[in-house]
mmCIF file of all heavy atoms in Angstrom:
data_model
loop_
_atom_site.group_PDB
_atom_site.id
_atom_site.type_symbol
_atom_site.label_atom_id
_atom_site.label_comp_id
_atom_site.label_asym_id
_atom_site.label_seq_id
_atom_site.Cartn_x
_atom_site.Cartn_y
_atom_site.Cartn_z
ATOM 1 N N MET T 1 -26.053 21.057 6.671
ATOM 2 C CA MET T 1 -24.937 20.140 6.704
ATOM 3 C C MET T 1 -25.526 18.710 6.752
ATOM 4 O O MET T 1 -26.159 18.313 7.769
ATOM 5 C CB MET T 1 -24.148 20.468 7.933
ATOM 6 C CG MET T 1 -23.409 19.325 8.527
ATOM 7 S SD MET T 1 -22.506 19.681 9.972
ATOM 8 C CE MET T 1 -23.879 19.543 11.245
ATOM 9 N N PRO T 2 -25.337 17.943 5.777
ATOM 10 C CA PRO T 2 -25.811 16.558 5.701
ATOM 11 C C PRO T 2 -24.955 15.754 6.668
ATOM 12 O O PRO T 2 -23.724 15.939 6.667
ATOM 13 C CB PRO T 2 -25.726 16.148 4.317
ATOM 14 C CG PRO T 2 -25.468 17.268 3.502
ATOM 15 C CD PRO T 2 -24.954 18.289 4.455
ATOM 16 N N LEU T 3 -25.541 14.785 7.390
ATOM 17 C CA LEU T 3 -24.762 13.847 8.243
ATOM 18 C C LEU T 3 -25.190 12.461 7.772
ATOM 19 O O LEU T 3 -26.358 12.083 7.853
ATOM 20 C CB LEU T 3 -25.083 14.101 9.672
ATOM 21 C CG LEU T 3 -24.620 12.993 10.635
ATOM 22 C CD1 LEU T 3 -23.067 12.959 10.638
ATOM 23 C CD2 LEU T 3 -25.134 13.302 12.038
ATOM 24 N N ILE T 4 -24.208 11.621 7.450
ATOM 25 C CA ILE T 4 -24.450 10.210 7.051
ATOM 26 C C ILE T 4 -23.765 9.385 8.111
ATOM 27 O O ILE T 4 -22.617 9.516 8.431
ATOM 28 C CB ILE T 4 -23.800 9.963 5.673
ATOM 29 C CG1 ILE T 4 -24.480 10.786 4.646
ATOM 30 C CG2 ILE T 4 -23.978 8.504 5.346
ATOM 31 C CD1 ILE T 4 -23.688 10.878 3.322
ATOM 32 N N GLN T 5 -24.560 8.503 8.699
ATOM 33 C CA GLN T 5 -24.076 7.664 9.766
ATOM 34 C C GLN T 5 -24.105 6.160 9.362
ATOM 35 O O GLN T 5 -25.115 5.669 8.783
ATOM 36 C CB GLN T 5 -24.965 7.761 11.079
ATOM 37 C CG GLN T 5 -24.933 9.111 11.578
ATOM 38 C CD GLN T 5 -25.837 9.253 12.839
ATOM 39 O OE1 GLN T 5 -26.882 8.673 12.900
ATOM 40 N NE2 GLN T 5 -25.248 9.946 13.863
ATOM 41 N N ILE T 6 -22.873 5.531 9.422
ATOM 42 C CA ILE T 6 -22.805 4.143 9.167
ATOM 43 C C ILE T 6 -22.585 3.375 10.388
ATOM 44 O O ILE T 6 -21.672 3.686 11.180
ATOM 45 C CB ILE T 6 -21.513 3.911 8.173
ATOM 46 C CG1 ILE T 6 -21.763 4.742 6.941
ATOM 47 C CG2 ILE T 6 -21.237 2.500 7.928
ATOM 48 C CD1 ILE T 6 -20.465 4.784 6.057
ATOM 49 N N THR T 7 -23.352 2.340 10.695
ATOM 50 C CA THR T 7 -23.275 1.530 11.911
ATOM 51 C C THR T 7 -22.928 0.104 11.466
ATOM 52 O O THR T 7 -23.597 -0.433 10.608
ATOM 53 C CB THR T 7 -24.625 1.596 12.701
ATOM 54 O OG1 THR T 7 -24.938 2.967 12.971
ATOM 55 C CG2 THR T 7 -24.469 0.815 13.957
ATOM 56 N N GLN T 8 -21.923 -0.471 12.126
ATOM 57 C CA GLN T 8 -21.407 -1.769 11.665
ATOM 58 C C GLN T 8 -20.703 -2.424 12.820
ATOM 59 O O GLN T 8 -20.488 -1.771 13.800
ATOM 60 C CB GLN T 8 -20.488 -1.625 10.476
ATOM 61 C CG GLN T 8 -19.234 -0.896 10.793
ATOM 62 C CD GLN T 8 -18.299 -0.799 9.622
ATOM 63 O OE1 GLN T 8 -18.683 -0.467 8.540
ATOM 64 N NE2 GLN T 8 -17.061 -1.107 9.816
ATOM 65 N N THR T 9 -20.339 -3.662 12.600
ATOM 66 C CA THR T 9 -19.532 -4.338 13.586
ATOM 67 C C THR T 9 -18.053 -3.822 13.377
ATOM 68 O O THR T 9 -17.699 -3.374 12.303
ATOM 69 C CB THR T 9 -19.579 -5.898 13.464
ATOM 70 O OG1 THR T 9 -19.250 -6.168 12.066
ATOM 71 C CG2 THR T 9 -20.989 -6.426 13.692
ATOM 72 N N PRO T 10 -17.243 -4.002 14.387
ATOM 73 C CA PRO T 10 -15.862 -3.590 14.345
ATOM 74 C C PRO T 10 -15.080 -4.515 13.270
ATOM 75 O O PRO T 10 -15.531 -5.534 13.048
ATOM 76 C CB PRO T 10 -15.267 -3.756 15.708
ATOM 77 C CG PRO T 10 -16.432 -3.734 16.645
ATOM 78 C CD PRO T 10 -17.605 -4.361 15.773
ATOM 79 N N GLY T 11 -13.949 -3.946 12.821
ATOM 80 C CA GLY T 11 -13.080 -4.790 12.016
ATOM 81 C C GLY T 11 -12.418 -4.122 10.848
ATOM 82 O O GLY T 11 -11.453 -4.612 10.367
ATOM 83 N N LEU T 12 -12.997 -2.940 10.417
ATOM 84 C CA LEU T 12 -12.415 -2.277 9.310
ATOM 85 C C LEU T 12 -11.088 -1.595 9.662
ATOM 86 O O LEU T 12 -10.946 -1.052 10.818
ATOM 87 C CB LEU T 12 -13.308 -1.286 8.679
ATOM 88 C CG LEU T 12 -14.597 -1.778 7.976
ATOM 89 C CD1 LEU T 12 -15.400 -0.564 7.481
ATOM 90 C CD2 LEU T 12 -14.270 -2.749 6.908
ATOM 91 N N SER T 13 -10.080 -1.591 8.894
ATOM 92 C CA SER T 13 -8.846 -0.981 9.109
ATOM 93 C C SER T 13 -9.013 0.614 8.915
ATOM 94 O O SER T 13 -10.027 1.047 8.362
ATOM 95 C CB SER T 13 -7.751 -1.338 8.123
ATOM 96 O OG SER T 13 -8.067 -0.967 6.836
ATOM 97 N N ASP T 14 -8.111 1.312 9.460
ATOM 98 C CA ASP T 14 -8.229 2.756 9.337
ATOM 99 C C ASP T 14 -8.227 3.176 7.904
ATOM 100 O O ASP T 14 -8.912 4.152 7.427
ATOM 101 C CB ASP T 14 -7.124 3.523 10.095
ATOM 102 C CG ASP T 14 -7.282 3.410 11.630
ATOM 103 O OD1 ASP T 14 -8.397 3.105 12.019
ATOM 104 O OD2 ASP T 14 -6.227 3.698 12.276
ATOM 105 N N ARG T 15 -7.408 2.476 7.096
ATOM 106 C CA ARG T 15 -7.360 2.868 5.654
ATOM 107 C C ARG T 15 -8.742 2.588 4.962
ATOM 108 O O ARG T 15 -9.267 3.467 4.203
ATOM 109 C CB ARG T 15 -6.309 1.958 4.874
ATOM 110 C CG ARG T 15 -6.193 2.177 3.409
ATOM 111 C CD ARG T 15 -5.312 1.213 2.685
ATOM 112 N NE ARG T 15 -5.696 -0.211 2.889
ATOM 113 C CZ ARG T 15 -6.772 -0.797 2.238
ATOM 114 N NH1 ARG T 15 -7.288 -0.036 1.285
ATOM 115 N NH2 ARG T 15 -7.045 -2.074 2.472
ATOM 116 N N VAL T 16 -9.375 1.510 5.289
ATOM 117 C CA VAL T 16 -10.598 1.195 4.661
ATOM 118 C C VAL T 16 -11.715 2.213 5.137
ATOM 119 O O VAL T 16 -12.607 2.631 4.394
ATOM 120 C CB VAL T 16 -11.106 -0.209 5.002
ATOM 121 C CG1 VAL T 16 -12.509 -0.519 4.527
ATOM 122 C CG2 VAL T 16 -10.124 -1.198 4.237
ATOM 123 N N LYS T 17 -11.679 2.650 6.458
ATOM 124 C CA LYS T 17 -12.619 3.625 6.925
ATOM 125 C C LYS T 17 -12.376 4.917 6.109
ATOM 126 O O LYS T 17 -13.380 5.580 5.759
ATOM 127 C CB LYS T 17 -12.357 3.890 8.444
ATOM 128 C CG LYS T 17 -12.865 2.704 9.288
ATOM 129 C CD LYS T 17 -12.482 2.941 10.755
ATOM 130 C CE LYS T 17 -12.739 1.682 11.583
ATOM 131 N NZ LYS T 17 -12.437 1.929 12.975
ATOM 132 N N ARG T 18 -11.157 5.377 5.945
ATOM 133 C CA ARG T 18 -10.890 6.596 5.203
ATOM 134 C C ARG T 18 -11.472 6.518 3.828
ATOM 135 O O ARG T 18 -12.105 7.439 3.365
ATOM 136 C CB ARG T 18 -9.342 6.898 5.199
ATOM 137 C CG ARG T 18 -8.820 7.475 6.439
ATOM 138 C CD ARG T 18 -7.408 8.020 6.238
ATOM 139 N NE ARG T 18 -6.504 7.016 5.817
ATOM 140 C CZ ARG T 18 -5.835 6.152 6.605
ATOM 141 N NH1 ARG T 18 -6.054 6.223 7.816
ATOM 142 N NH2 ARG T 18 -5.079 5.299 6.040
ATOM 143 N N GLU T 19 -11.164 5.389 3.156
ATOM 144 C CA GLU T 19 -11.732 5.192 1.817
ATOM 145 C C GLU T 19 -13.189 5.145 1.766
ATOM 146 O O GLU T 19 -13.835 5.652 0.828
ATOM 147 C CB GLU T 19 -11.085 3.923 1.183
ATOM 148 C CG GLU T 19 -9.616 3.940 0.955
ATOM 149 C CD GLU T 19 -9.018 2.672 0.567
ATOM 150 O OE1 GLU T 19 -9.748 1.708 0.465
ATOM 151 O OE2 GLU T 19 -7.808 2.618 0.266
ATOM 152 N N THR T 20 -13.857 4.567 2.756
ATOM 153 C CA THR T 20 -15.334 4.487 2.817
ATOM 154 C C THR T 20 -15.854 5.933 2.994
ATOM 155 O O THR T 20 -16.868 6.262 2.375
ATOM 156 C CB THR T 20 -15.754 3.514 3.978
ATOM 157 O OG1 THR T 20 -15.212 2.239 3.767
ATOM 158 C CG2 THR T 20 -17.256 3.487 4.030
ATOM 159 N N ILE T 21 -15.332 6.578 3.983
ATOM 160 C CA ILE T 21 -15.697 8.027 4.150
ATOM 161 C C ILE T 21 -15.693 8.787 2.931
ATOM 162 O O ILE T 21 -16.618 9.570 2.551
ATOM 163 C CB ILE T 21 -15.031 8.649 5.365
ATOM 164 C CG1 ILE T 21 -15.481 7.959 6.683
ATOM 165 C CG2 ILE T 21 -15.239 10.095 5.370
ATOM 166 C CD1 ILE T 21 -14.533 8.333 7.886
ATOM 167 N N ALA T 22 -14.520 8.692 2.218
ATOM 168 C CA ALA T 22 -14.389 9.509 0.943
ATOM 169 C C ALA T 22 -15.380 9.055 -0.157
ATOM 170 O O ALA T 22 -15.933 9.946 -0.726
ATOM 171 C CB ALA T 22 -12.873 9.236 0.393
ATOM 172 N N ALA T 23 -15.591 7.799 -0.293
ATOM 173 C CA ALA T 23 -16.488 7.220 -1.289
ATOM 174 C C ALA T 23 -17.944 7.686 -1.021
ATOM 175 O O ALA T 23 -18.693 8.056 -1.897
ATOM 176 C CB ALA T 23 -16.329 5.767 -1.418
ATOM 177 N N VAL T 24 -18.337 7.533 0.213
ATOM 178 C CA VAL T 24 -19.735 7.989 0.607
ATOM 179 C C VAL T 24 -19.917 9.398 0.428
ATOM 180 O O VAL T 24 -20.974 9.850 -0.051
ATOM 181 C CB VAL T 24 -20.029 7.504 2.059
ATOM 182 C CG1 VAL T 24 -21.275 8.064 2.625
ATOM 183 C CG2 VAL T 24 -20.052 5.952 2.166
ATOM 184 N N THR T 25 -18.962 10.206 0.829
ATOM 185 C CA THR T 25 -19.059 11.649 0.703
ATOM 186 C C THR T 25 -19.168 12.000 -0.877
ATOM 187 O O THR T 25 -20.078 12.897 -1.164
ATOM 188 C CB THR T 25 -17.757 12.344 1.238
ATOM 189 O OG1 THR T 25 -17.725 12.035 2.625
ATOM 190 C CG2 THR T 25 -17.826 13.919 0.978
ATOM 191 N N GLU T 26 -18.355 11.437 -1.634
ATOM 192 C CA GLU T 26 -18.398 11.711 -3.163
ATOM 193 C C GLU T 26 -19.706 11.302 -3.702
ATOM 194 O O GLU T 26 -20.356 12.056 -4.461
ATOM 195 C CB GLU T 26 -17.223 10.997 -3.828
ATOM 196 C CG GLU T 26 -17.235 11.196 -5.328
ATOM 197 C CD GLU T 26 -16.081 10.503 -6.110
ATOM 198 O OE1 GLU T 26 -15.254 9.899 -5.385
ATOM 199 O OE2 GLU T 26 -16.177 10.411 -7.263
ATOM 200 N N ALA T 27 -20.218 10.119 -3.311
ATOM 201 C CA ALA T 27 -21.498 9.619 -3.933
ATOM 202 C C ALA T 27 -22.660 10.529 -3.536
ATOM 203 O O ALA T 27 -23.496 10.903 -4.325
ATOM 204 C CB ALA T 27 -21.746 8.170 -3.491
ATOM 205 N N TYR T 28 -22.673 10.907 -2.243
ATOM 206 C CA TYR T 28 -23.772 11.733 -1.765
ATOM 207 C C TYR T 28 -23.716 13.095 -2.443
ATOM 208 O O TYR T 28 -24.753 13.673 -2.896
ATOM 209 C CB TYR T 28 -23.672 11.964 -0.206
ATOM 210 C CG TYR T 28 -24.794 12.753 0.338
ATOM 211 C CD1 TYR T 28 -26.055 12.200 0.604
ATOM 212 C CD2 TYR T 28 -24.703 14.116 0.424
ATOM 213 C CE1 TYR T 28 -27.143 12.897 1.038
ATOM 214 C CE2 TYR T 28 -25.773 14.899 0.932
ATOM 215 C CZ TYR T 28 -26.929 14.260 1.254
ATOM 216 O OH TYR T 28 -27.958 15.082 1.723
ATOM 217 N N ALA T 29 -22.533 13.683 -2.516
ATOM 218 C CA ALA T 29 -22.403 15.041 -3.144
ATOM 219 C C ALA T 29 -22.744 14.910 -4.654
ATOM 220 O O ALA T 29 -23.487 15.894 -5.062
ATOM 221 C CB ALA T 29 -20.903 15.517 -3.036
ATOM 222 N N MET T 30 -22.442 13.920 -5.330
ATOM 223 C CA MET T 30 -22.821 13.824 -6.744
ATOM 224 C C MET T 30 -24.259 13.602 -6.879
ATOM 225 O O MET T 30 -24.925 14.214 -7.793
ATOM 226 C CB MET T 30 -22.078 12.627 -7.410
ATOM 227 C CG MET T 30 -20.572 12.925 -7.559
ATOM 228 S SD MET T 30 -19.722 11.552 -8.342
ATOM 229 C CE MET T 30 -20.593 11.505 -9.953
ATOM 230 N N ALA T 31 -24.916 12.839 -5.999
ATOM 231 C CA ALA T 31 -26.384 12.579 -6.119
ATOM 232 C C ALA T 31 -27.152 13.746 -5.754
ATOM 233 O O ALA T 31 -28.306 13.935 -6.301
ATOM 234 C CB ALA T 31 -26.655 11.360 -5.238
ATOM 235 N N THR T 32 -26.691 14.635 -4.847
ATOM 236 C CA THR T 32 -27.510 15.717 -4.353
ATOM 237 C C THR T 32 -27.063 17.070 -4.826
ATOM 238 O O THR T 32 -27.850 18.060 -4.569
ATOM 239 C CB THR T 32 -27.517 15.641 -2.772
ATOM 240 O OG1 THR T 32 -26.141 16.003 -2.349
ATOM 241 C CG2 THR T 32 -28.091 14.454 -2.236
ATOM 242 N N GLY T 33 -25.943 17.175 -5.365
ATOM 243 C CA GLY T 33 -25.413 18.386 -5.804
ATOM 244 C C GLY T 33 -24.831 19.207 -4.699
ATOM 245 O O GLY T 33 -24.499 20.397 -4.742
ATOM 246 N N LYS T 34 -24.708 18.712 -3.478
ATOM 247 C CA LYS T 34 -24.164 19.350 -2.262
ATOM 248 C C LYS T 34 -22.691 19.518 -2.403
ATOM 249 O O LYS T 34 -22.006 18.660 -3.116
ATOM 250 C CB LYS T 34 -24.460 18.567 -0.978
ATOM 251 C CG LYS T 34 -25.933 18.432 -0.680
ATOM 252 C CD LYS T 34 -26.499 19.689 -0.154
ATOM 253 C CE LYS T 34 -27.923 19.500 0.221
ATOM 254 N NZ LYS T 34 -28.650 20.658 0.739
ATOM 255 N N ASN T 35 -22.150 20.530 -1.813
ATOM 256 C CA ASN T 35 -20.660 20.639 -1.667
ATOM 257 C C ASN T 35 -20.078 19.560 -0.775
ATOM 258 O O ASN T 35 -20.487 19.394 0.318
ATOM 259 C CB ASN T 35 -20.364 22.031 -1.080
ATOM 260 C CG ASN T 35 -18.856 22.322 -1.007
ATOM 261 O OD1 ASN T 35 -18.083 21.398 -1.019
ATOM 262 N ND2 ASN T 35 -18.553 23.560 -0.792
ATOM 263 N N PRO T 36 -19.211 18.750 -1.245
ATOM 264 C CA PRO T 36 -18.571 17.705 -0.427
ATOM 265 C C PRO T 36 -17.960 18.128 0.837
ATOM 266 O O PRO T 36 -17.925 17.457 1.826
ATOM 267 C CB PRO T 36 -17.574 16.992 -1.342
ATOM 268 C CG PRO T 36 -17.636 17.603 -2.715
ATOM 269 C CD PRO T 36 -18.511 18.857 -2.638
ATOM 270 N N ASP T 37 -17.605 19.414 0.852
ATOM 271 C CA ASP T 37 -17.030 20.023 2.181
ATOM 272 C C ASP T 37 -18.022 20.138 3.210
ATOM 273 O O ASP T 37 -17.671 20.290 4.350
ATOM 274 C CB ASP T 37 -16.348 21.368 1.851
ATOM 275 C CG ASP T 37 -15.057 21.237 1.056
ATOM 276 O OD1 ASP T 37 -14.521 20.054 0.968
ATOM 277 O OD2 ASP T 37 -14.694 22.200 0.414
ATOM 278 N N SER T 38 -19.299 20.031 2.876
ATOM 279 C CA SER T 38 -20.337 20.252 3.903
ATOM 280 C C SER T 38 -20.920 18.911 4.407
ATOM 281 O O SER T 38 -21.815 18.835 5.201
ATOM 282 C CB SER T 38 -21.462 21.120 3.361
ATOM 283 O OG SER T 38 -22.184 20.349 2.394
ATOM 284 N N VAL T 39 -20.375 17.770 3.774
ATOM 285 C CA VAL T 39 -20.967 16.437 4.088
ATOM 286 C C VAL T 39 -20.109 15.754 5.232
ATOM 287 O O VAL T 39 -18.958 15.728 5.170
ATOM 288 C CB VAL T 39 -20.949 15.586 2.887
ATOM 289 C CG1 VAL T 39 -21.435 14.109 3.270
ATOM 290 C CG2 VAL T 39 -21.701 16.168 1.776
ATOM 291 N N TRP T 40 -20.888 15.369 6.272
ATOM 292 C CA TRP T 40 -20.294 14.756 7.412
ATOM 293 C C TRP T 40 -20.563 13.294 7.358
ATOM 294 O O TRP T 40 -21.757 12.892 7.063
ATOM 295 C CB TRP T 40 -20.813 15.269 8.723
ATOM 296 C CG TRP T 40 -20.396 16.710 9.063
ATOM 297 C CD1 TRP T 40 -20.473 17.786 8.263
ATOM 298 C CD2 TRP T 40 -19.789 17.165 10.229
ATOM 299 N NE1 TRP T 40 -20.039 18.890 8.901
ATOM 300 C CE2 TRP T 40 -19.627 18.602 10.126
ATOM 301 C CE3 TRP T 40 -19.491 16.575 11.527
ATOM 302 C CZ2 TRP T 40 -19.032 19.312 11.065
ATOM 303 C CZ3 TRP T 40 -18.993 17.366 12.426
ATOM 304 C CH2 TRP T 40 -18.698 18.731 12.328
ATOM 305 N N VAL T 41 -19.641 12.419 7.685
ATOM 306 C CA VAL T 41 -19.845 10.986 7.745
ATOM 307 C C VAL T 41 -19.301 10.406 9.044
ATOM 308 O O VAL T 41 -18.101 10.765 9.367
ATOM 309 C CB VAL T 41 -19.162 10.263 6.565
ATOM 310 C CG1 VAL T 41 -19.298 8.743 6.585
ATOM 311 C CG2 VAL T 41 -19.682 10.841 5.182
ATOM 312 N N THR T 42 -20.023 9.652 9.733
ATOM 313 C CA THR T 42 -19.509 8.945 10.917
ATOM 314 C C THR T 42 -19.543 7.510 10.723
ATOM 315 O O THR T 42 -20.444 6.941 10.026
ATOM 316 C CB THR T 42 -20.341 9.316 12.224
ATOM 317 O OG1 THR T 42 -21.614 8.901 12.129
ATOM 318 C CG2 THR T 42 -20.242 10.832 12.489
ATOM 319 N N ILE T 43 -18.673 6.716 11.336
ATOM 320 C CA ILE T 43 -18.670 5.229 11.365
ATOM 321 C C ILE T 43 -18.749 4.910 12.779
ATOM 322 O O ILE T 43 -17.827 5.144 13.540
ATOM 323 C CB ILE T 43 -17.489 4.609 10.572
ATOM 324 C CG1 ILE T 43 -17.463 5.026 9.219
ATOM 325 C CG2 ILE T 43 -17.482 3.133 10.798
ATOM 326 C CD1 ILE T 43 -16.216 4.489 8.424
ATOM 327 N N ASN T 44 -19.819 4.217 13.105
ATOM 328 C CA ASN T 44 -20.024 3.793 14.532
ATOM 329 C C ASN T 44 -19.910 2.298 14.522
ATOM 330 O O ASN T 44 -20.651 1.627 13.878
ATOM 331 C CB ASN T 44 -21.483 4.155 15.025
ATOM 332 C CG ASN T 44 -21.788 5.666 14.928
ATOM 333 O OD1 ASN T 44 -20.992 6.414 15.505
ATOM 334 N ND2 ASN T 44 -22.790 6.057 14.133
ATOM 335 N N GLU T 45 -18.944 1.774 15.384
ATOM 336 C CA GLU T 45 -18.716 0.425 15.486
ATOM 337 C C GLU T 45 -19.345 -0.129 16.744
ATOM 338 O O GLU T 45 -19.089 0.384 17.931
ATOM 339 C CB GLU T 45 -17.312 0.138 15.546
ATOM 340 C CG GLU T 45 -16.539 0.522 14.251
ATOM 341 C CD GLU T 45 -15.046 0.220 14.156
ATOM 342 O OE1 GLU T 45 -14.411 0.464 15.189
ATOM 343 O OE2 GLU T 45 -14.650 -0.331 13.163
ATOM 344 N N ILE T 46 -20.233 -1.072 16.595
ATOM 345 C CA ILE T 46 -20.961 -1.721 17.702
ATOM 346 C C ILE T 46 -20.494 -3.101 17.797
ATOM 347 O O ILE T 46 -20.530 -3.874 16.839
ATOM 348 C CB ILE T 46 -22.500 -1.661 17.391
ATOM 349 C CG1 ILE T 46 -23.013 -0.237 17.031
ATOM 350 C CG2 ILE T 46 -23.258 -2.267 18.609
ATOM 351 C CD1 ILE T 46 -22.934 0.728 18.127
ATOM 352 N N PRO T 47 -20.092 -3.614 18.930
ATOM 353 C CA PRO T 47 -19.649 -4.953 19.076
ATOM 354 C C PRO T 47 -20.722 -5.992 18.679
ATOM 355 O O PRO T 47 -21.865 -5.786 18.862
ATOM 356 C CB PRO T 47 -19.345 -5.234 20.628
ATOM 357 C CG PRO T 47 -19.111 -3.767 21.044
ATOM 358 C CD PRO T 47 -19.923 -2.908 20.213
ATOM 359 N N ARG T 48 -20.250 -7.044 18.101
ATOM 360 C CA ARG T 48 -21.150 -8.136 17.625
ATOM 361 C C ARG T 48 -22.146 -8.600 18.721
ATOM 362 O O ARG T 48 -23.322 -8.989 18.416
ATOM 363 C CB ARG T 48 -20.366 -9.242 17.117
ATOM 364 C CG ARG T 48 -19.642 -8.990 15.882
ATOM 365 C CD ARG T 48 -18.888 -10.251 15.250
ATOM 366 N NE ARG T 48 -19.774 -11.263 14.814
ATOM 367 C CZ ARG T 48 -20.371 -11.308 13.635
ATOM 368 N NH1 ARG T 48 -20.202 -10.376 12.787
ATOM 369 N NH2 ARG T 48 -21.183 -12.375 13.332
ATOM 370 N N GLN T 49 -21.727 -8.618 19.908
ATOM 371 C CA GLN T 49 -22.587 -9.042 21.049
ATOM 372 C C GLN T 49 -23.764 -8.167 21.243
ATOM 373 O O GLN T 49 -24.701 -8.538 21.904
ATOM 374 C CB GLN T 49 -21.787 -9.101 22.319
ATOM 375 C CG GLN T 49 -20.583 -10.089 22.322
ATOM 376 C CD GLN T 49 -19.300 -9.437 21.834
ATOM 377 O OE1 GLN T 49 -19.362 -8.499 21.115
ATOM 378 N NE2 GLN T 49 -18.168 -10.121 22.086
ATOM 379 N N GLN T 50 -23.735 -7.028 20.690
ATOM 380 C CA GLN T 50 -24.874 -6.021 20.830
ATOM 381 C C GLN T 50 -25.755 -5.954 19.619
ATOM 382 O O GLN T 50 -26.606 -5.094 19.522
ATOM 383 C CB GLN T 50 -24.281 -4.634 21.180
ATOM 384 C CG GLN T 50 -23.519 -4.631 22.536
ATOM 385 C CD GLN T 50 -22.908 -3.262 22.857
ATOM 386 O OE1 GLN T 50 -23.185 -2.312 22.118
ATOM 387 N NE2 GLN T 50 -22.207 -3.227 23.969
ATOM 388 N N TRP T 51 -25.535 -6.896 18.624
ATOM 389 C CA TRP T 51 -26.352 -7.061 17.530
ATOM 390 C C TRP T 51 -27.235 -8.189 17.606
ATOM 391 O O TRP T 51 -26.853 -9.220 18.145
ATOM 392 C CB TRP T 51 -25.507 -7.141 16.285
ATOM 393 C CG TRP T 51 -24.738 -5.889 15.867
ATOM 394 C CD1 TRP T 51 -23.596 -5.489 16.295
ATOM 395 C CD2 TRP T 51 -25.186 -4.959 14.832
ATOM 396 N NE1 TRP T 51 -23.212 -4.357 15.753
ATOM 397 C CE2 TRP T 51 -24.124 -3.949 14.821
ATOM 398 C CE3 TRP T 51 -26.286 -4.718 14.079
ATOM 399 C CZ2 TRP T 51 -24.189 -2.907 13.988
ATOM 400 C CZ3 TRP T 51 -26.275 -3.696 13.215
ATOM 401 C CH2 TRP T 51 -25.318 -2.701 13.144
ATOM 402 N N GLY T 52 -28.397 -8.162 17.068
ATOM 403 C CA GLY T 52 -29.294 -9.434 16.978
ATOM 404 C C GLY T 52 -29.946 -9.418 15.530
ATOM 405 O O GLY T 52 -30.360 -8.382 14.936
ATOM 406 N N VAL T 53 -29.988 -10.616 15.100
ATOM 407 C CA VAL T 53 -30.661 -10.841 13.780
ATOM 408 C C VAL T 53 -31.607 -12.105 13.936
ATOM 409 O O VAL T 53 -31.129 -13.094 14.403
ATOM 410 C CB VAL T 53 -29.737 -11.047 12.543
ATOM 411 C CG1 VAL T 53 -30.371 -11.419 11.326
ATOM 412 C CG2 VAL T 53 -28.745 -9.862 12.449
ATOM 413 N N GLY T 54 -32.805 -11.877 13.551
ATOM 414 C CA GLY T 54 -33.760 -13.030 13.668
ATOM 415 C C GLY T 54 -33.997 -13.424 15.100
ATOM 416 O O GLY T 54 -34.309 -14.680 15.387
ATOM 417 N N GLY T 55 -33.808 -12.528 16.046
ATOM 418 C CA GLY T 55 -33.996 -12.925 17.425
ATOM 419 C C GLY T 55 -32.801 -13.597 18.189
ATOM 420 O O GLY T 55 -32.885 -13.980 19.290
ATOM 421 N N GLU T 56 -31.728 -13.620 17.418
ATOM 422 C CA GLU T 56 -30.479 -14.229 17.928
ATOM 423 C C GLU T 56 -29.380 -13.286 17.944
ATOM 424 O O GLU T 56 -29.146 -12.528 16.951
ATOM 425 C CB GLU T 56 -30.065 -15.531 17.049
ATOM 426 C CG GLU T 56 -31.090 -16.565 17.093
ATOM 427 C CD GLU T 56 -31.209 -17.242 18.459
ATOM 428 O OE1 GLU T 56 -30.216 -17.303 19.198
ATOM 429 O OE2 GLU T 56 -32.338 -17.595 18.789
ATOM 430 N N PRO T 57 -28.475 -13.181 19.022
ATOM 431 C CA PRO T 57 -27.336 -12.276 19.002
ATOM 432 C C PRO T 57 -26.366 -12.792 18.016
ATOM 433 O O PRO T 57 -26.203 -14.064 17.779
ATOM 434 C CB PRO T 57 -26.894 -12.301 20.486
ATOM 435 C CG PRO T 57 -27.569 -13.540 21.042
ATOM 436 C CD PRO T 57 -28.713 -13.891 20.246
ATOM 437 N N LEU T 58 -25.558 -11.858 17.442
ATOM 438 C CA LEU T 58 -24.507 -12.239 16.539
ATOM 439 C C LEU T 58 -23.307 -12.829 17.290
ATOM 440 O O LEU T 58 -22.587 -13.509 16.717
ATOM 441 C CB LEU T 58 -24.091 -11.040 15.592
ATOM 442 C CG LEU T 58 -25.125 -10.559 14.600
ATOM 443 C CD1 LEU T 58 -24.447 -9.384 13.805
ATOM 444 C CD2 LEU T 58 -25.470 -11.711 13.619
ATOM 445 N N GLY T 59 -23.003 -12.177 18.432
ATOM 446 C CA GLY T 59 -21.696 -12.558 19.107
ATOM 447 C C GLY T 59 -21.835 -13.637 20.142
ATOM 448 O O GLY T 59 -22.890 -14.154 20.404
#
């Protein structure tokens, strides 16, 4: 069972999350020949205050 994890800042609507999960599942299944029913996708939302780029926090 493949597991694809997406980590990002919050803000996507539920509709966009559903579309993203569907698109990532389809792309992975096509690229690997795996059954899409066996592909798991998670979207982890981490607040901007907990991200840092170039030594500086985003939030």
Side-chain angles (χ1 to χ4, degrees):
M1 151 186 82
L3 169 62
I4 300 165
Q5 297 179 320
I6 301 168
T7 304
Q8 64 177 49
T9 57
L12 294 181
S13 68
D14 288 344
R15 178 188 59 79
V16 172
K17 288 177 191 176
R18 283 191 302 274
E19 291 173 358
T20 300
I21 290 169
V24 168
T25 299
E26 180 181 347
Y28 183 85
M30 287 182 62
T32 64
K34 299 283 186 185
N35 180 344
D37 292 338
S38 71
V39 178
W40 291 51
V41 178
T42 64
I43 298 177
N44 303 303
E45 295 183 316
I46 309 292
R48 292 181 66 82
Q49 298 85 342
Q50 296 178 7
W51 289 85
V53 177
E56 297 294 325
L58 290 182

